[in-house]
Amino acid sequence: MSVIAVVAIGAPDDEVLASVEPAVAGAFGREVRRLEPLAEPSGSLDAARGQWNAPEMLKTLLAARPASAERILGVTGRDLFIPVLSFVFGQAQMDGPTAVISLARLSQAFSGLPEDRPLLLQRARKEALHELGHTFGLVHCPDAACPMSLSTGVVQVDRKGEAFCASCAALVRERTPVAMPPEGRTR
């Protein structure tokens, strides 16, 4: 069976990983294996921004990917950026093996609100599906309820569902032959 590896970068949040893993297994029809946590890449912190460079995180994940894993998803509590954007919830290699999500801005605490663990877990699952979808070649979806829709804020993340729309589900099935049920999400 094909494998997607899931790994914490930095301090692991076992509850988040335990929530993300079955969602990933179900959406992509893959076995999910948790790896030992990775250290944060020393060169990825941009001290001036106070954020971590997402492409550098992807390089670390690529080097850590076991040969047995077709994809690897990193989960970090650090706030991520790419040079052209002020922040990202995640980053992935389009049609490549690596993806990373950040829990920082998915947390209510980032906005000064009381922490809401169920909401954080839900947001993490959606963003994990989104970034891994990119690794299977899926692009942003115009359906706001699809995990593949673009999110520039948590409001958009919260509008997403946790199952791919029919069009994206068909693409996942096409690109992951042993994947998901034939109907995609129930509307």
Side-chain angles (χ1 to χ4, degrees), residues 92-113:
Q93 292 179 304
M94 183 64 81
D95 283 320
T98 63
V100 62
I101 64 168
S102 166
L103 304 177
R105 292 180 189 247
L106 298 177
S107 168
Q108 292 284 83
F110 190 87
S111 301
L113 300 171

PDB file of all heavy atoms in Angstrom, residues 92-113:
ATOM      1  N   ALA A  92       3.151  23.554  -0.413  1.00  0.00           N
ATOM      2  CA  ALA A  92       3.346  22.211  -0.963  1.00  0.00           C
ATOM      3  C   ALA A  92       4.086  22.309  -2.277  1.00  0.00           C
ATOM      4  O   ALA A  92       4.072  23.342  -2.936  1.00  0.00           O
ATOM      5  CB  ALA A  92       1.999  21.525  -1.178  1.00  0.00           C
ATOM      6  N   GLN A  93       4.692  21.201  -2.641  1.00  0.00           N
ATOM      7  CA  GLN A  93       5.295  21.078  -3.966  1.00  0.00           C
ATOM      8  C   GLN A  93       4.200  20.562  -4.894  1.00  0.00           C
ATOM      9  O   GLN A  93       3.702  19.445  -4.694  1.00  0.00           O
ATOM     10  CB  GLN A  93       6.447  20.093  -3.948  1.00  0.00           C
ATOM     11  CG  GLN A  93       7.648  20.539  -3.161  1.00  0.00           C
ATOM     12  CD  GLN A  93       8.726  19.476  -3.184  1.00  0.00           C
ATOM     13  OE1 GLN A  93       8.487  18.342  -2.808  1.00  0.00           O
ATOM     14  NE2 GLN A  93       9.905  19.876  -3.627  1.00  0.00           N
ATOM     15  N   MET A  94       3.816  21.346  -5.889  1.00  0.00           N
ATOM     16  CA  MET A  94       2.809  20.891  -6.846  1.00  0.00           C
ATOM     17  C   MET A  94       3.320  19.643  -7.547  1.00  0.00           C
ATOM     18  O   MET A  94       4.423  19.646  -8.090  1.00  0.00           O
ATOM     19  CB  MET A  94       2.528  22.000  -7.869  1.00  0.00           C
ATOM     20  CG  MET A  94       1.459  21.671  -8.870  1.00  0.00           C
ATOM     21  SD  MET A  94      -0.173  21.444  -8.129  1.00  0.00           S
ATOM     22  CE  MET A  94      -0.702  23.132  -7.939  1.00  0.00           C
ATOM     23  N   ASP A  95       2.532  18.580  -7.489  1.00  0.00           N
ATOM     24  CA  ASP A  95       2.925  17.278  -8.061  1.00  0.00           C
ATOM     25  C   ASP A  95       4.230  16.753  -7.475  1.00  0.00           C
ATOM     26  O   ASP A  95       4.928  15.967  -8.115  1.00  0.00           O
ATOM     27  CB  ASP A  95       3.054  17.350  -9.590  1.00  0.00           C
ATOM     28  CG  ASP A  95       1.714  17.338 -10.280  1.00  0.00           C
ATOM     29  OD1 ASP A  95       0.826  16.580  -9.846  1.00  0.00           O
ATOM     30  OD2 ASP A  95       1.559  18.093 -11.262  1.00  0.00           O
ATOM     31  N   GLY A  96       4.562  17.197  -6.286  1.00  0.00           N
ATOM     32  CA  GLY A  96       5.795  16.747  -5.640  1.00  0.00           C
ATOM     33  C   GLY A  96       5.484  15.994  -4.359  1.00  0.00           C
ATOM     34  O   GLY A  96       4.324  15.828  -3.990  1.00  0.00           O
ATOM     35  N   PRO A  97       6.505  15.567  -3.655  1.00  0.00           N
ATOM     36  CA  PRO A  97       6.271  14.702  -2.494  1.00  0.00           C
ATOM     37  C   PRO A  97       6.104  15.400  -1.151  1.00  0.00           C
ATOM     38  O   PRO A  97       5.817  14.736  -0.161  1.00  0.00           O
ATOM     39  CB  PRO A  97       7.520  13.816  -2.479  1.00  0.00           C
ATOM     40  CG  PRO A  97       8.588  14.683  -3.037  1.00  0.00           C
ATOM     41  CD  PRO A  97       7.909  15.557  -4.079  1.00  0.00           C
ATOM     42  N   THR A  98       6.270  16.722  -1.066  1.00  0.00           N
ATOM     43  CA  THR A  98       6.282  17.333   0.260  1.00  0.00           C
ATOM     44  C   THR A  98       5.235  18.435   0.429  1.00  0.00           C
ATOM     45  O   THR A  98       4.931  19.177  -0.504  1.00  0.00           O
ATOM     46  CB  THR A  98       7.661  17.935   0.588  1.00  0.00           C
ATOM     47  OG1 THR A  98       7.939  18.979  -0.321  1.00  0.00           O
ATOM     48  CG2 THR A  98       8.747  16.888   0.527  1.00  0.00           C
ATOM     49  N   ALA A  99       4.745  18.518   1.662  1.00  0.00           N
ATOM     50  CA  ALA A  99       3.795  19.561   2.044  1.00  0.00           C
ATOM     51  C   ALA A  99       3.991  19.854   3.518  1.00  0.00           C
ATOM     52  O   ALA A  99       4.427  18.999   4.279  1.00  0.00           O
ATOM     53  CB  ALA A  99       2.361  19.105   1.777  1.00  0.00           C
ATOM     54  N   VAL A 100       3.654  21.086   3.904  1.00  0.00           N
ATOM     55  CA  VAL A 100       3.752  21.475   5.301  1.00  0.00           C
ATOM     56  C   VAL A 100       2.546  22.347   5.636  1.00  0.00           C
ATOM     57  O   VAL A 100       2.064  23.103   4.781  1.00  0.00           O
ATOM     58  CB  VAL A 100       5.077  22.220   5.593  1.00  0.00           C
ATOM     59  CG1 VAL A 100       5.194  23.506   4.800  1.00  0.00           C
ATOM     60  CG2 VAL A 100       5.247  22.481   7.082  1.00  0.00           C
ATOM     61  N   ILE A 101       2.044  22.202   6.860  1.00  0.00           N
ATOM     62  CA  ILE A 101       1.011  23.111   7.343  1.00  0.00           C
ATOM     63  C   ILE A 101       1.483  23.731   8.651  1.00  0.00           C
ATOM     64  O   ILE A 101       2.249  23.129   9.405  1.00  0.00           O
ATOM     65  CB  ILE A 101      -0.360  22.433   7.547  1.00  0.00           C
ATOM     66  CG1 ILE A 101      -0.318  21.356   8.627  1.00  0.00           C
ATOM     67  CG2 ILE A 101      -0.881  21.900   6.230  1.00  0.00           C
ATOM     68  CD1 ILE A 101      -1.685  20.863   9.072  1.00  0.00           C
ATOM     69  N   SER A 102       1.007  24.947   8.876  1.00  0.00           N
ATOM     70  CA  SER A 102       1.312  25.672  10.109  1.00  0.00           C
ATOM     71  C   SER A 102       0.047  25.767  10.954  1.00  0.00           C
ATOM     72  O   SER A 102      -1.016  26.133  10.451  1.00  0.00           O
ATOM     73  CB  SER A 102       1.797  27.084   9.776  1.00  0.00           C
ATOM     74  OG  SER A 102       1.773  27.883  10.942  1.00  0.00           O
ATOM     75  N   LEU A 103       0.186  25.492  12.226  1.00  0.00           N
ATOM     76  CA  LEU A 103      -0.946  25.619  13.147  1.00  0.00           C
ATOM     77  C   LEU A 103      -1.053  27.023  13.727  1.00  0.00           C
ATOM     78  O   LEU A 103      -2.061  27.364  14.341  1.00  0.00           O
ATOM     79  CB  LEU A 103      -0.791  24.608  14.292  1.00  0.00           C
ATOM     80  CG  LEU A 103      -0.648  23.150  13.887  1.00  0.00           C
ATOM     81  CD1 LEU A 103      -0.426  22.280  15.110  1.00  0.00           C
ATOM     82  CD2 LEU A 103      -1.851  22.684  13.087  1.00  0.00           C
ATOM     83  N   ALA A 104      -0.016  27.837  13.527  1.00  0.00           N
ATOM     84  CA  ALA A 104       0.058  29.128  14.214  1.00  0.00           C
ATOM     85  C   ALA A 104      -1.188  29.973  13.992  1.00  0.00           C
ATOM     86  O   ALA A 104      -1.877  30.341  14.941  1.00  0.00           O
ATOM     87  CB  ALA A 104       1.305  29.889  13.765  1.00  0.00           C
ATOM     88  N   ARG A 105      -1.494  30.289  12.750  1.00  0.00           N
ATOM     89  CA  ARG A 105      -2.625  31.190  12.465  1.00  0.00           C
ATOM     90  C   ARG A 105      -3.949  30.452  12.396  1.00  0.00           C
ATOM     91  O   ARG A 105      -4.997  31.088  12.265  1.00  0.00           O
ATOM     92  CB  ARG A 105      -2.360  31.968  11.175  1.00  0.00           C
ATOM     93  CG  ARG A 105      -1.210  32.948  11.336  1.00  0.00           C
ATOM     94  CD  ARG A 105      -0.939  33.715  10.060  1.00  0.00           C
ATOM     95  NE  ARG A 105       0.298  34.471  10.191  1.00  0.00           N
ATOM     96  CZ  ARG A 105       0.370  35.801  10.218  1.00  0.00           C
ATOM     97  NH1 ARG A 105      -0.728  36.523  10.098  1.00  0.00           N
ATOM     98  NH2 ARG A 105       1.537  36.406  10.338  1.00  0.00           N
ATOM     99  N   LEU A 106      -3.924  29.134  12.476  1.00  0.00           N
ATOM    100  CA  LEU A 106      -5.173  28.372  12.551  1.00  0.00           C
ATOM    101  C   LEU A 106      -5.729  28.382  13.969  1.00  0.00           C
ATOM    102  O   LEU A 106      -6.891  28.074  14.195  1.00  0.00           O
ATOM    103  CB  LEU A 106      -4.957  26.919  12.085  1.00  0.00           C
ATOM    104  CG  LEU A 106      -4.499  26.743  10.635  1.00  0.00           C
ATOM    105  CD1 LEU A 106      -4.258  25.262  10.339  1.00  0.00           C
ATOM    106  CD2 LEU A 106      -5.503  27.333   9.651  1.00  0.00           C
ATOM    107  N   SER A 107      -4.889  28.744  14.909  1.00  0.00           N
ATOM    108  CA  SER A 107      -5.275  28.788  16.318  1.00  0.00           C
ATOM    109  C   SER A 107      -5.975  30.103  16.647  1.00  0.00           C
ATOM    110  O   SER A 107      -5.537  31.172  16.217  1.00  0.00           O
ATOM    111  CB  SER A 107      -4.024  28.644  17.187  1.00  0.00           C
ATOM    112  OG  SER A 107      -4.319  28.954  18.525  1.00  0.00           O
ATOM    113  N   GLN A 108      -7.049  30.009  17.409  1.00  0.00           N
ATOM    114  CA  GLN A 108      -7.748  31.210  17.859  1.00  0.00           C
ATOM    115  C   GLN A 108      -6.831  32.092  18.699  1.00  0.00           C
ATOM    116  O   GLN A 108      -6.962  33.310  18.715  1.00  0.00           O
ATOM    117  CB  GLN A 108      -8.977  30.824  18.688  1.00  0.00           C
ATOM    118  CG  GLN A 108     -10.080  30.156  17.900  1.00  0.00           C
ATOM    119  CD  GLN A 108     -10.868  31.124  17.060  1.00  0.00           C
ATOM    120  OE1 GLN A 108     -10.468  31.472  15.955  1.00  0.00           O
ATOM    121  NE2 GLN A 108     -11.986  31.578  17.598  1.00  0.00           N
ATOM    122  N   ALA A 109      -5.909  31.473  19.420  1.00  0.00           N
ATOM    123  CA  ALA A 109      -4.999  32.214  20.287  1.00  0.00           C
ATOM    124  C   ALA A 109      -4.155  33.208  19.490  1.00  0.00           C
ATOM    125  O   ALA A 109      -3.769  34.252  20.015  1.00  0.00           O
ATOM    126  CB  ALA A 109      -4.105  31.245  21.061  1.00  0.00           C
ATOM    127  N   PHE A 110      -3.876  32.908  18.236  1.00  0.00           N
ATOM    128  CA  PHE A 110      -3.084  33.825  17.404  1.00  0.00           C
ATOM    129  C   PHE A 110      -3.777  35.177  17.274  1.00  0.00           C
ATOM    130  O   PHE A 110      -3.131  36.218  17.171  1.00  0.00           O
ATOM    131  CB  PHE A 110      -2.835  33.228  16.011  1.00  0.00           C
ATOM    132  CG  PHE A 110      -1.841  34.012  15.199  1.00  0.00           C
ATOM    133  CD1 PHE A 110      -0.483  33.754  15.320  1.00  0.00           C
ATOM    134  CD2 PHE A 110      -2.244  35.017  14.336  1.00  0.00           C
ATOM    135  CE1 PHE A 110       0.448  34.489  14.593  1.00  0.00           C
ATOM    136  CE2 PHE A 110      -1.327  35.747  13.607  1.00  0.00           C
ATOM    137  CZ  PHE A 110       0.029  35.481  13.732  1.00  0.00           C
ATOM    138  N   SER A 111      -5.115  35.161  17.271  1.00  0.00           N
ATOM    139  CA  SER A 111      -5.902  36.399  17.148  1.00  0.00           C
ATOM    140  C   SER A 111      -6.307  36.959  18.500  1.00  0.00           C
ATOM    141  O   SER A 111      -7.153  37.848  18.576  1.00  0.00           O
ATOM    142  CB  SER A 111      -7.158  36.127  16.306  1.00  0.00           C
ATOM    143  OG  SER A 111      -6.800  35.657  15.029  1.00  0.00           O
ATOM    144  N   GLY A 112      -5.747  36.394  19.569  1.00  0.00           N
ATOM    145  CA  GLY A 112      -6.061  36.890  20.905  1.00  0.00           C
ATOM    146  C   GLY A 112      -7.371  36.365  21.459  1.00  0.00           C
ATOM    147  O   GLY A 112      -7.875  36.888  22.453  1.00  0.00           O
ATOM    148  N   LEU A 113      -7.908  35.342  20.825  1.00  0.00           N
ATOM    149  CA  LEU A 113      -9.168  34.751  21.275  1.00  0.00           C
ATOM    150  C   LEU A 113      -8.882  33.517  22.127  1.00  0.00           C
ATOM    151  O   LEU A 113      -7.790  32.942  22.034  1.00  0.00           O
ATOM    152  CB  LEU A 113     -10.020  34.355  20.065  1.00  0.00           C
ATOM    153  CG  LEU A 113     -10.393  35.500  19.125  1.00  0.00           C
ATOM    154  CD1 LEU A 113     -11.037  34.967  17.859  1.00  0.00           C
ATOM    155  CD2 LEU A 113     -11.325  36.475  19.844  1.00  0.00           C
TER     156      LEU A 113
END
